[in-house]
């Protein structure tokens, strides 16, 4: 079987929480370390493996997603964490295709009864990383699964869908109204004309080697009614969110474009879509073929004033960045790690235009909104709080990341206004997150908020109760961190090792009345050895407030 097969990966992306096992998994690692590399190994036929977020498109993702689910030669559905979107999309795939669907999950997933009849291939996931042995074991299995499936695609008499298994005599799989469009390579004459101009290098990097001609032209079809002379780049969903929040927090007299984090947000990044390029390519291709039909050769076509003008338009368009949703998210995360918070927010805003309901993107936007402290710390916190309540609803959900964000916002708000009320709110969210995930992050913050509330309480019994709760949680945090450190010592990997060591050090310091003993000092030395940017002095400075609070509490309890 020659040519290229498509493999659509149905999965969540970013970090997802499994509430039943109280674990958080980085789903991007599964795709990048195991699924994509195995598919890329295949050459005859080759396999184009992709997630929804990896493709370039205009508008929102839904119409594309259903087409990819239907048209993909192979689908791999990862139902780890019982991600509702992934399970829904798997159901759509089962309804549309009787065959060539592979279901996978991490091996600690607790399957609902409905999945008892589904063959699920499992892999080991460390949470923040996947170790080499786990990668090798699963990729070997996946490689063989794909080898078994490929010959069956021509026969089409196999069945892995429970829908067609139980209803085999009652239904038939749907067919496309028109023949599935073959992914068209670039028109040879069009390529020659483009490469003979002064835009050869940028055209190769930003167009010819990145996307097919068919895909570019399809983008034009998905943007009806747009002015084709104007680049389609909405940049408006975040603006609308901010505008609504401005009205709620009393800033209705301020313009979002001129005040706060949205002001000048996109100044340092270019356009990021192909919508304008697709219009130029379609017109250029038609003109090249018209002149070719008249008997003109490549040299004369390239010298034509009409073609020259179109090439100049293409040159301008290709100076802009062309990024898929996953590339936008990678850019956003990269900028965040470099502390380029404004650029990070800009990329997340553009990603939100492509996937407006994506909770991970909204969480990052809320985080960056208060981190930017624009126009000032308190206003940024209030703006972030309103976005949190409008779009993430922390009182209604059990999403650990959302609860951690809520705790962080109210923890900081307590330093500026409504101290006791905001301390209690922060404590409630951190504690809820800790009960759900049993994680060191929410645990260490929950303990700190108990200590802070203890220092403000006037009733002695309340002070004792809160302080004992803090100590209880510190002990749990030490156990959680010890368990993670044990896994690392046994050969596992964890990208958050530094944070684990710091959290254990803080918990031990709390249990040791704020004093740094030999065990804590050893943890700090180990952290310095792993990350040379870590400063023990910074750690001690950050925890001076905790030490002062503990000293004050102990004086009142004597």
């Amino acid at each position: 079987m020659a040519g290229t097969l498509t493999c659509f990966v149905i999965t969540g992306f970013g970090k997802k929480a499994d509430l039943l096992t109280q674990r958080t998994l980085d789903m991007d690692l599964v795709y990048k370390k195991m699924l994509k590399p195995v598919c890329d190994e295949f050459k005859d036929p080759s396999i184009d493996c992709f997630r929804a977020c990896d493709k370039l498109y205009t508008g929102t993702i839904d119409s594309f997603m259903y087409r990819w689910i239907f048209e993909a030669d192979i689908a791999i559905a990862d139902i780890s964490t019982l991600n509702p979107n992934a399970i829904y999309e798997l159901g759509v795939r089962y309804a549309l295709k009787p065959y060539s669907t592979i279901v996978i999950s991490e091996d600690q997933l607790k399957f609902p009864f409905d999945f008892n009849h589904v063959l699920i291939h499992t892999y080991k996931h460390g949470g923040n990383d996947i170790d080499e042995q786990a990668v090798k074991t699963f990729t070997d299995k996946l490689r063989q699964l794909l080898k078994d499936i490929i010959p069956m695609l021509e026969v089409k008499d196999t069945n892995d869908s429970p829908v067609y298994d139980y209803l085999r005599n009652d239904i038939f799989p749907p067919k496309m109204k028109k023949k599935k469009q073959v992914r068209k390579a670039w028109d040879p004459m069009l390529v020659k004309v483009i490469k003979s101009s002064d835009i050869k290098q940028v055209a190769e990097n930003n167009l010819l080697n990145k996307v097919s001609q068919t895909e570019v032209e399809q983008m034009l079809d998905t943007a009806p009614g747009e002015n084709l002379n104007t680049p389609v780049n909405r940049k408006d969903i975040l603006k609308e969110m901010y505008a609504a929040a401005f009205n709620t927090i009393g800033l209705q007299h301020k313009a979002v474009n001129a005040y706060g984090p949205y002001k000048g947000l996109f100044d340092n990044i270019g356009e990021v879509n192909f919508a304008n390029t697709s219009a130029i390519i379609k017109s250029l291709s038609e003109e090249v073929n018209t002149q070719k039909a008249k008997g003109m050769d490549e040299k004369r076509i390239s010298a034509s004033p009409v073609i020259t003008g179109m090439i100049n338009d293409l040159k301008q368009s290709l100076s802009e960045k062309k990024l898929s949703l996953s590339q936008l998210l990678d850019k956003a995360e990269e900028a965040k790690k470099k502390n380029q918070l404004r650029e990070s927010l800009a990329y997340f805003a553009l990603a939100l235009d492509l996937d407006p309901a994506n909770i991970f993107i909204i969480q990052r936007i809320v985080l960056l909104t208060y981190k930017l402290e624009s126009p000032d710390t308190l206003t940024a916190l209030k703006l972030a709080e309103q976005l949190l309540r409008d779009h993430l609803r922390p009182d209604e959900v059990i999403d650990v990341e959302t609860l951690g964000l809520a705790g962080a916002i109210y923890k900081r708000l307590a330093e500026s206004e409504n101290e006791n009320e905001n301390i209690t709110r922060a404590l409630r969210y951190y504690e809820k997150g800790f009960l759900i995930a049993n994680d060191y992050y929410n645990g260490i913050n929950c303990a700190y908020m108990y200590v802070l509330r203890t220092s403000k309480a006037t009733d002695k019994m309340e002070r004792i109760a809160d302080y004992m709760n803090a100590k209880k949680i510190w002990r749990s945090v030490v156990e959680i961190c010890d368990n993670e450190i044990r896994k690392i010592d046994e050969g596992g990997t964890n990208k958050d090792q530094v944070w684990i060591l710091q959290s254990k050090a803080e918990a031990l310091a709390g249990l040791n009345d704020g004093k740094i003993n030999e065990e804590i000092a050893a943890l700090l030395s180990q952290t310095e050895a792993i990350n040379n940017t870590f400063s023990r002095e910074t750690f001690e400075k950050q925890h001076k407030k905790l030490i002062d609070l503990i000293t004050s509490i102990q004086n009142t309890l004597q």
Side-chain angles (χ1 to χ4, degrees):
M1 179 185 291
T4 299
L5 300 175
T6 55
C7 177
F8 181 53
V9 179
I10 297 170
T11 181
F13 53 88
K15 293 186 177 181
K16 299 294 182 185
D18 185 336
L19 302 180
L20 295 179
T21 62
Q22 295 185 318
R23 301 165 69 232
T24 299
L25 309 179
D26 187 338
M27 298 306 299
D28 291 340
L29 294 175
V30 182
Y31 176 76
K32 293 177 179 178
K33 282 196 165 189
M34 299 192 291
L35 306 185
K36 178 69 170 169
V38 170
C39 288
D40 287 349
E41 292 175 8
F42 284 78
K43 302 303 178 187
D44 186 21
S46 59
I47 300 178
D48 176 18
C49 178
F50 64 95
R51 300 166 296 176
C53 61
D54 296 316
K55 287 295 185 180
L56 292 153
Y57 55 88
T58 59
T60 56
I61 199 169
D62 290 354
S63 62
F64 295 92
M65 184 265 292
Y66 286 111
R67 182 167 295 278
W68 292 328
I69 290 173
F70 183 26
E71 292 185 347
D73 298 298
I74 302 166
I76 300 175
D78 192 335
I79 61 170
S80 298
T81 75
L82 296 179
N83 182 312
N85 289 335
I87 292 174
Y88 171 77
E89 291 171 27
L90 171 60
V92 173
R93 172 72 179 189
Y94 274 156
L96 295 175
K97 276 272 178 85
Y99 53 87
S100 67
T101 301
I102 300 171
V103 184
I104 66 173
S105 82
E106 61 95 15
D107 62 356
Q108 294 187 41
L109 181 67
K110 299 183 185 300
F111 303 112
F113 172 79
D114 305 68
F115 280 94
N116 284 349
H117 55 272
V118 175
L119 177 60
I120 301 173
H121 305 276
T122 61
Y123 59 84
K124 290 186 179 296
H125 199 307
N128 286 313
D129 209 345
I130 305 174
D131 64 46
E132 291 182 7
Q133 183 56 50
V135 169
K136 183 180 185 308
T137 299
F138 184 73
T139 53
D140 287 346
K141 179 192 295 186
L142 179 61
R143 190 177 297 109
Q144 188 58 52
L145 285 170
L146 291 171
K147 287 179 179 179
D148 293 340
I149 281 178
I150 290 172
M152 298 178 183
L153 293 175
E154 294 182 340
V155 180
K156 298 182 180 179
D157 63 351
T158 57
N159 179 37
D160 52 42
S161 164
V163 175
Y164 291 93
D165 188 19
Y166 289 107
L167 302 176
R168 66 171 64 90
N169 297 322
D170 301 304
I171 61 173
F172 296 94
K175 295 181 179 179
M176 296 289 292
K177 288 184 178 180
K178 58 182 179 179
K179 186 177 180 181
K180 179 179 174 182
Q181 187 175 25
V182 178
R183 179 174 177 169
K184 185 174 67 174
W186 285 91
D187 182 308
M189 181 60 79
L190 176 62
V191 171
K192 288 179 180 179
V193 169
I194 291 174
K195 287 188 175 183
S196 68
S197 68
D198 63 351
I199 67 168
K200 176 183 176 182
Q201 185 172 355
V202 69
E204 289 179 338
N205 294 338
N206 270 1
L207 188 67
L208 303 177
N209 296 338
K210 194 164 191 176
V211 64
S212 74
Q213 185 173 344
T214 300
E215 288 169 329
V216 172
E217 292 175 353
Q218 283 177 339
M219 291 173 199
L220 179 64
D221 296 334
T222 63
E226 297 286 356
N227 179 354
L228 298 184
N229 295 317
T230 304
V232 181
N233 197 346
R234 295 166 58 199
K235 295 182 183 176
D236 63 357
I237 293 181
L238 180 59
K239 183 180 178 182
E240 292 171 4
M241 290 168 58
Y242 277 151
F246 271 31
N247 288 334
T248 305
I249 66 176
L251 294 176
Q252 58 269 26
H253 59 289
K254 297 286 188 181
V256 173
N257 281 336
Y259 189 76
Y262 199 86
K263 180 181 178 181
L265 184 61
F266 302 98
D267 288 351
N268 295 327
I269 65 173
E271 301 290 329
V272 295
N273 68 77
F274 271 105
N276 192 45
T277 305
S278 64
I280 298 169
I281 286 294
K282 186 172 184 179
S283 298
L284 180 60
S285 178
E286 290 173 352
E287 185 63 29
V288 165
N289 282 287
T290 297
Q291 297 195 23
K292 180 182 175 182
K294 294 178 180 178
M296 297 175 67
D297 59 20
E298 172 200 333
K299 187 174 181 180
R300 291 175 63 196
I301 293 175
S302 299
S304 163
V306 176
I307 296 296
T308 301
M310 290 182 175
I311 288 292
N312 287 334
D313 290 341
L314 183 60
K315 180 178 181 179
Q316 175 60 37
S317 176
L318 291 179
S319 67
E320 303 161 354
K321 296 177 182 177
K322 315 300 175 187
L323 302 177
S324 66
L325 177 57
S326 64
Q327 290 170 321
L328 283 171
L329 294 176
D330 286 345
K331 284 279 190 182
E333 289 293 312
E334 180 183 343
K336 177 175 168 288
K337 288 177 182 177
K338 294 178 179 178
N339 207 35
Q340 297 169 346
L341 302 186
R342 182 166 294 278
E343 288 79 2
S344 179
L345 179 60
Y347 283 119
F348 277 120
L350 295 171
L352 187 67
D353 283 347
L354 296 178
D355 197 358
N358 189 297
I359 296 300
F360 170 75
I361 296 173
I362 297 172
Q363 288 169 339
R364 282 293 194 252
I365 285 171
V366 172
L367 172 69
L368 291 164
T369 296
Y370 81 75
K371 288 278 189 183
L372 275 167
E373 300 184 348
S374 177
D376 56 72
T377 301
L378 181 57
T379 302
L381 283 167
K382 285 180 172 293
L383 184 57
E385 178 197 15
Q386 198 57 49
L387 294 179
L388 175 86
R389 296 210 159 276
D390 288 345
H391 303 282
L392 297 176
R393 307 186 310 280
D395 292 325
E396 303 171 25
V397 303
I398 50 177
D399 184 282
V400 176
E401 185 73 19
T402 293
L403 295 171
L405 272 174
I409 289 170
Y410 287 110
K411 177 182 177 181
R412 287 161 175 77
L413 277 172
E415 298 174 358
S416 302
E417 62 177 23
N418 303 327
E419 183 179 51
N420 290 334
E421 179 183 346
N422 284 325
I423 287 173
T424 298
R425 283 179 173 175
L427 174 57
R428 182 170 74 246
Y429 292 124
Y430 279 135
E431 189 165 42
K432 185 178 177 182
F434 181 57
L435 289 172
I436 292 169
N438 194 38
D439 63 323
Y440 59 85
Y441 169 78
N442 280 292
I444 204 69
N445 281 290
C446 180
Y448 177 82
M449 296 314 298
Y450 264 122
V451 171
L452 187 57
R453 193 168 75 169
T454 302
S455 70
K456 307 296 179 183
T458 55
D459 182 86
K460 184 174 181 179
M461 296 305 294
E462 288 181 358
R463 292 200 300 272
I464 292 173
D466 279 352
Y467 192 44
M468 290 302 102
N469 276 330
K471 284 181 169 285
K472 179 181 178 182
I473 293 170
W474 279 326
R475 293 189 187 97
S476 296
V477 169
V478 171
E479 291 179 5
I480 293 167
C481 291
D482 280 341
N483 186 45
E484 294 297 328
I485 292 169
R486 190 178 306 112
K487 291 178 183 177
I488 295 170
D489 291 342
E490 291 172 354
T493 56
N494 194 316
K495 293 186 292 185
D496 290 339
Q497 185 175 3
V498 167
W499 296 109
I500 294 169
L501 296 172
Q502 288 188 57
S503 297
K504 181 180 178 180
E506 181 175 330
L508 289 173
L511 292 170
N512 197 41
D513 298 333
K515 301 169 187 174
I516 296 180
N517 57 21
E518 290 184 6
E519 183 178 6
I520 298 170
L523 285 169
L524 299 181
S525 296
Q526 187 178 354
T527 305
E528 287 176 321
I530 297 171
N531 182 0
N532 57 18
T533 64
F534 171 77
S535 166
R536 185 182 309 206
E537 292 180 2
T538 302
F539 175 88
E540 293 173 355
K541 182 179 179 181
Q542 289 173 342
H543 291 79
K544 185 179 185 301
K545 184 180 289 188
L546 175 64
I547 294 169
D548 292 342
L549 287 172
I550 291 173
T551 302
S552 173
I553 290 167
Q554 289 178 335
N555 291 336
T556 63
L557 294 178
Q558 288 177 352

